[in-house]
Amino acid sequence: LFPNLTDAAYRAEGQIMRDGQTLPVVMIRDGNKLRMEVGTPQGQSVIISNGETGESLIIATAAGRTFAMRADGEQFQDPAQDWQGDIATSATRTGACSQAGESGAEWTRTEEGGTNVACVTNDGIILLAQHNGQVVWQTDSVQRGPQSADLFTLPPGVQVMDLNNISGVAAAIERARGGAGQ
């Protein structure tokens, strides 16, 4: 049976490979709560997602101000969701694997878009993921254990913008730029 990807509590450092770029990432999970810290050429972004409530926030800094945006399923989906449900039942265990000093099982599934392969520990930590032979996720280190609850909450003083009100978002960004003298 494919492991449940939302049971473990851990901090994993790794890399996402996308569009010819390698982006450093820290994934912190405590059950259905997820925090991803992603370094991009535009700066650091933090995504907090609570699988119990369905709320996801993207936290970023622009013009020296930190703000958060509510994200729906189109803007952010927990990576574990790609391998849960019906998809997990269609994956085939294809052997043993290891990465980042951890051991796991290799799971393969083929669908219309190609072949996906994942190396996953028995307690549900994705160590390596490939799409059509290309690495898209690589874990470099894992530290297991409970994670602090404040990692999964909005930092004090950070305001949340509603992305459903795009004109409000544009105005807030413009105010942030104006405050920074841009």
Side-chain angles (χ1 to χ4, degrees), residues 1-3 83 86-97 105-111 115-120:
L1 205 58
F2 189 81
W83 283 89
D86 293 337
I87 295 172
T89 60
S90 67
T92 304
R93 187 177 177 152
T94 51
C97 59
E106 183 176 273
W107 295 86
T108 302
R109 66 181 164 99
T110 301
E111 55 189 8
T115 301
N116 295 299
V117 177
C119 177
V120 184

Side-chain angles (χ1 to χ4, degrees), residues 30 38 43 51 90 96 104 108-109 128 148-149 178:
D30 203 335
V38 182
S90 67
T108 302
R109 66 181 164 99
L128 187 73
S148 175

Side-chain angles (χ1 to χ4, degrees), residues 45 95 111 114 122 128 133 140 165:
S45 292
E111 55 189 8
N122 288 338
L128 187 73
D140 298 324
N165 177 5

Side-chain angles (χ1 to χ4, degrees), residues 46-75:
V46 175
I47 301 162
I48 297 172
S49 181
N50 185 329
E52 296 164 8
T53 64
E55 182 176 51
S56 293
L57 298 169
I58 300 171
I59 304 168
T61 301
R65 294 188 185 197
T66 302
F67 58 93
M69 299 169 283
R70 288 194 200 290
D72 63 24
E74 290 180 24
Q75 292 138 344

